[in-house]
Amino acid sequence: MPYRRLPKTDQARIRALRAAVESSVDNGVFTNVLSHNTYYRAKNMLENLSREVGVYKRCVQEQSSKRGNEAYEAALKKARMYVSHFIQVLSMSIMRGEIARSKRPYYGLPENEDTVPNLFSESAVLEWGLKIMEGERRRQAEGGVPIYNPTMGRVSVVFELFKEMYDRQQMLQQRTGDALHNISDMRFEADEIIFEAWAEIEKAFAGFEGKARIKKCAEYGVIYYERPDRKSKKEL
């Protein structure tokens, strides 16, 4: 005798809920197979779970988009290059005596070193981009001559483009995490609703026998499997 088994994936939960909800209304008339309470619980869960799964999928797809990743990596590479070049030009200007060495701390740089900070990570590019923009603003506010090639204006444009893309990536990661958390919170209740709905569906068609009963219940989304001791374990 086949047995029923609750869905194991979120997509399977959505399919089970949708079948129960959509089959419960025939040409605008409620079939009474499900109680009104179970029907509306299933309908609300279907809408909420479908929405969160959709949000999760869209966010993951956008984050993993090859085109999006290529554009992001190009923006990061360019921002890293401009930040690095600006710091190098600052150091050369100090060596030539055009800028006082005491101004290096304005940029968050050690006064007595001429090395370029490690810009390997995204966070480092963001940190030093902000530092050199603030340092250049402060030095010019004191009457200092602007650094050229690259100018801070050009550095700022490149940096802000990268920062905008970085912030979007962070937002997508946050939304992905939130959606996944919401989905996880819904699973237990979704399974509970499906279990109750299937019990009501089987009760409604208890008068049918054998395959006819299984077929009617399956129309409302009940999933049946053959017993594992049988050769065939296909879903009916």
Side-chain angles (χ1 to χ4, degrees), residues 4 12-13 48 75 103 115 133 160 166 186 197 226:
R4 74 187 195 204
R13 289 182 178 93
N48 294 335
K103 304 299 182 182
T115 56
M133 285 193 292
E160 290 299 335
Y166 175 85
M186 291 179 188
E226 290 188 1

Side-chain angles (χ1 to χ4, degrees), residues 56 59-60 63 72 122 166-180:
Y56 175 76
C59 289
V60 170
Q63 289 180 77
Y72 180 78
E122 298 158 302
Y166 175 85
D167 289 342
R168 177 164 180 76
Q169 286 287 329
Q170 295 302 299
M171 180 193 70
L172 284 171
Q173 289 179 19
Q174 180 64 47
R175 288 178 63 193
T176 302
D178 289 345
L180 191 58

Side-chain angles (χ1 to χ4, degrees), residues 42-215:
K43 187 173 184 293
N44 289 335
M45 177 56 69
L46 173 62
E47 293 171 354
N48 294 335
L49 185 58
S50 297
R51 181 186 64 250
E52 292 301 326
V53 169
V55 169
Y56 175 76
K57 283 187 171 182
R58 287 192 297 274
C59 289
V60 170
Q61 184 177 20
E62 189 166 349
Q63 289 180 77
S64 61
S65 166
K66 182 177 180 181
R67 183 176 181 182
N69 283 340
E70 288 176 349
Y72 180 78
E73 290 298 326
L76 170 59
K77 182 178 179 180
K78 196 168 186 179
R80 181 183 290 121
M81 179 180 68
Y82 269 81
V83 171
S84 176
H85 284 185
F86 185 89
I87 294 173
Q88 292 176 54
V89 172
L90 171 65
S91 295
M92 288 187 288
S93 298
I94 291 172
M95 292 176 186
R96 292 193 297 265
E98 298 168 357
I99 296 176
R101 184 167 288 277
S102 61
K103 304 299 182 182
R104 277 181 66 86
Y106 286 18
Y107 302 85
L109 298 164
E111 184 172 336
N112 297 315
E113 295 180 19
D114 293 315
T115 56
V116 176
N118 187 328
L119 299 173
F120 179 77
S121 68
E122 298 158 302
S123 59
V125 174
L126 288 168
E127 175 187 355
W128 287 102
L130 293 171
K131 283 182 176 180
I132 63 173
M133 285 193 292
E134 172 57 25
E136 184 70 353
R137 183 202 64 75
R138 180 181 174 187
R139 190 181 63 80
Q140 288 188 40
E142 295 178 353
V145 177
I147 289 176
Y148 292 96
N149 197 27
T151 63
M152 180 47 66
R154 181 56 181 163
V155 174
S156 297
V157 169
V158 172
F159 176 79
E160 290 299 335
L161 176 61
F162 162 65
K163 187 175 183 300
E164 180 179 333
M165 296 181 73
Y166 175 85
D167 289 342
R168 177 164 180 76
Q169 286 287 329
Q170 295 302 299
M171 180 193 70
L172 284 171
Q173 289 179 19
Q174 180 64 47
R175 288 178 63 193
T176 302
D178 289 345
L180 191 58
H181 179 75
N182 292 339
I183 291 168
S184 180
D185 285 348
M186 291 179 188
R187 285 173 182 150
F188 180 81
E189 185 179 358
D191 289 346
E192 183 182 64
I193 293 170
I194 292 169
F195 182 86
E196 292 177 3
W198 286 3
E200 292 181 10
I201 291 165
E202 287 190 330
K203 182 178 179 180
F205 297 111
F208 289 71
E209 294 184 0
K211 291 184 178 180
R213 181 179 64 81
I214 291 174
K215 182 178 179 181

